[in-house]
Amino acid sequence: MANEQFFIVGTGFFGAVMAERITSQLGASVTIFEKRPHFGGNSYSYLDRDTGIECHKYGSHIFHTSIPKVWKYINQFTDFTSYRHHVLTKHAGQVFAMPINLFTINQLYQKNFTPSEAQEFLAAEIARDKLSAPKNLEEKAISLIGRPLYEAFIKNYTKKQWGCDPKELPAEIITRLPVRTSYNTNYFADTWQGVPKDGYFALFQKLLDNPKITIKYNCTYESVKNELPKSAKIIYTGMPDALFDYKFGPLNWRSLKFEWETLDMQDYQGTASMNYADLDVAYTRIHEFKHYNPERLAAFNCPKTIICREYPETYQLGTEPYYPINNEENNKLYSLYAEEAQKDPRLILGGRLGQYKYFDMDKTINNALETFDKMLKNNL
Ligand code: UDP
């Protein structure tokens, strides 16, 4: 297999892990086409020269996983800090804790419930809507937390985030968030979490540090595809509809716009991620990056801070696709593209875009590891 030719499209986690596996395990060479001027996909981060603050260029990325194989694998390339993600959300002029937990419940209802009192109270709130089998995000959320909490913290944030009514969205999106009747305010319920000690840049540098890996930056697949040898293996992590010239029609995506600001103050919001649950502001959240690295004292204590407001946007050709919109119609359309890809034994689709799934970083790594193992088994 060392003589096979491998081409990868995209240097996000799927592409980078596949490149690492193919070169280190098979001794084969890999060429990666990256349309941006840098590697790392949307997980890319850089150090701001002026302040030394590490900025996540495409919004906050916190690594979290409960998959032992992934944790073991990724720890070969970086150590992680002890950062634990805690999110706050602004609603009706007040700051609440997210995901919904006993602080949130007691603050919204002006109560001092114990956990069992909160459970009993929520059960009665949920029962009011008499939803037996939740069919969409709204019904699922109400079946978990009742209508008042849904309307305060989920309904309008979700409308902004996805640009549609939560009734039109799949229920699974909301099950990403835990609901707790304890005072545990951890955003993630995973076994391991943190941010890479020396940043995502250093992590990707290490993953891709093999003389058998060549990266061609500012290079689209479209511009090279006709020059690749017919027998080459292609691992494609871009948009599947674009790969097949939109032959079945375009898939729907949600895009984002980021508005950056460096401020002359040490601390803007006192936390890394502040959500905005109401419709009076167009953005969904503000990231303040120094809070991801409190251990880097010089940057943390410097009299400046960097914030970034995140505005969800309609995806259109030429903007960046960030999220697949996994409703029934889009999933059906994706399966047509996936079937088309399967007809070509040289082609593998991977990653959040390629597989049209709302994967976190760990799931993407896991998929890449499994895809590589399958490749070995099938002697592809
Ligand atoms: N969500 C919400 N309110 C919040 C945070 C999240 O309604 O304050 C909903 C929203 O629909 C969002 C989903 O939960 O799309 C998943 O949130 P997560 O924080 O996992 O989204 P990501 O960080 O991937 O954008």
Side-chain angles (χ1 to χ4, degrees), residues 60 87-89 98 137 153-155 157-158 161-162 169 173-174 176-177 187-188 275-277 285 310 323 352 358 360:
S60 295
V87 174
L88 298 170
T89 186
M98 275 302 274
L137 193 155
F153 301 113
I154 308 297
K155 185 177 177 178
Y157 183 101
T158 297
Q161 168 68 18
W162 296 96
L169 292 165
I173 293 180
I174 204 61
R176 290 171 59 84
L177 304 187
Y187 199 66
F188 303 116
N275 289 358
Y276 286 79
R285 50 190 167 188
E310 181 174 321
Y323 298 91
R352 191 188 269 204
Y358 192 172
D360 286 329

Side-chain angles (χ1 to χ4, degrees), residues 22 47 73 90 102 120 135 170 198 222 243 303-304 316:
I22 290 166
L47 277 191
Y73 173 79
K90 262 196 186 159
L102 200 45
E120 207 176 303
K135 293 184 295 293
D198 299 316
E222 187 60 28
L243 176 66
K304 289 188 179 185
Q316 45 200 347

